[in-house]
Amino acid sequence: MQTIYQFHGLQFNGEKKSLQEYSGKVVLIVNTASRCFFTKQFKSLERLYQKYKDQGFEILAFPSNDFRAQEPMTGRQLETFCRVHQQVTFPIFKRIHVKGDYCDPLFRYLSDKSLNGRIGVKPLWNFHKYLINKNGEVVDHFYSVTSPQSNKLMTKIEQLIAE
């Protein structure tokens, strides 16, 4: 069975970062956008990251312009928005497609039950969240409306950290 460790993210400097680097950590993968109603979730994602990062938790953000063109920025402009304006410290990768014909292989894996063995839900909007266990397996997903500070999500993260 595949895990997220077979995939990589493209960093803003153009280098590929293997998701194998997150082996042994609980990971939340989120598709983001800068001009979305849910953009305010960057702040609560950062609080979630600060709360659990020293316990083996990581958030990986993948900006996408797939939903009503709500992520028009790319490159330095996008990186500056996330790092300076939203004050995000967790990893953010270059903009990708999270659905459709050009869907990034990672998001194809995350959303296809025949590939990941568990979850068969594609992102319906920006800030869809996929929760990954310490073995790199998709174990749950949360729709955009689920706050990163929700008890449901934090309880699940704490359970996975304790495993």
Side-chain angles (χ1 to χ4, degrees), residues 74-96:
T74 58
R76 285 257 181 262
Q77 185 184 26
L78 179 54
E79 186 177 23
T80 299
F81 173 82
C82 294
R83 297 279 176 230
V84 178
H85 299 288
Q86 296 295 318
Q87 299 174 330
V88 167
T89 61
F90 52 81
I92 299 167
F93 296 92
K94 280 192 162 188
R95 195 175 80 177
I96 61 168

Side-chain angles (χ1 to χ4, degrees), residues 47-112:
R47 284 195 300 277
L48 186 71
Y49 180 60
Q50 292 302 324
K51 180 173 184 168
Y52 296 114
K53 71 176 185 173
D54 295 333
Q55 300 174 52
F57 175 69
E58 197 66 64
I59 295 176
L60 307 180
F62 290 87
S64 173
N65 198 34
D66 288 349
F67 301 100
R68 289 211 189 142
Q70 291 187 343
E71 185 49 83
M73 293 186 272
T74 58
R76 285 257 181 262
Q77 185 184 26
L78 179 54
E79 186 177 23
T80 299
F81 173 82
C82 294
R83 297 279 176 230
V84 178
H85 299 288
Q86 296 295 318
Q87 299 174 330
V88 167
T89 61
F90 52 81
I92 299 167
F93 296 92
K94 280 192 162 188
R95 195 175 80 177
I96 61 168
H97 290 286
V98 299
K99 66 174 191 158
D101 293 343
Y102 302 103
C103 183
D104 185 87
L106 171 62
F107 273 80
R108 190 169 293 123
Y109 164 77
L110 293 172
S111 61
D112 186 334

Side-chain angles (χ1 to χ4, degrees), residues 4-5 19 22 24-32 41-42 44-50 52-53 56-62 88 90-93 106-107 110 127-134 136-144 146-150 152-158 160-161:
I4 65 162
Y5 306 143
L19 299 191
Y22 303 103
K25 290 188 173 194
V26 174
V27 178
L28 189 68
I29 297 177
V30 186
N31 64 300
T32 64
Q41 285 191 15
F42 270 124
S44 44
L45 283 166
E46 181 62 25
R47 284 195 300 277
L48 186 71
Y49 180 60
Q50 292 302 324
Y52 296 114
K53 71 176 185 173
F57 175 69
E58 197 66 64
I59 295 176
L60 307 180
F62 290 87
V88 167
F90 52 81
I92 299 167
F93 296 92
L106 171 62
F107 273 80
L110 293 172
F127 291 87
H128 193 100
K129 302 154 198 74
Y130 291 95
L131 192 57
I132 315 299
N133 67 16
K134 292 178 184 177
E137 302 160 332
V138 184
V139 294
D140 211 343
H141 78 98
F142 301 88
Y143 292 106
S144 308
T146 303
S147 165
Q149 301 285 299
S150 73
K152 184 167 80 170
L153 178 55
M154 291 197 299
T155 298
K156 192 75 176 180
I157 289 168
E158 290 169 7
L160 292 173
I161 287 172

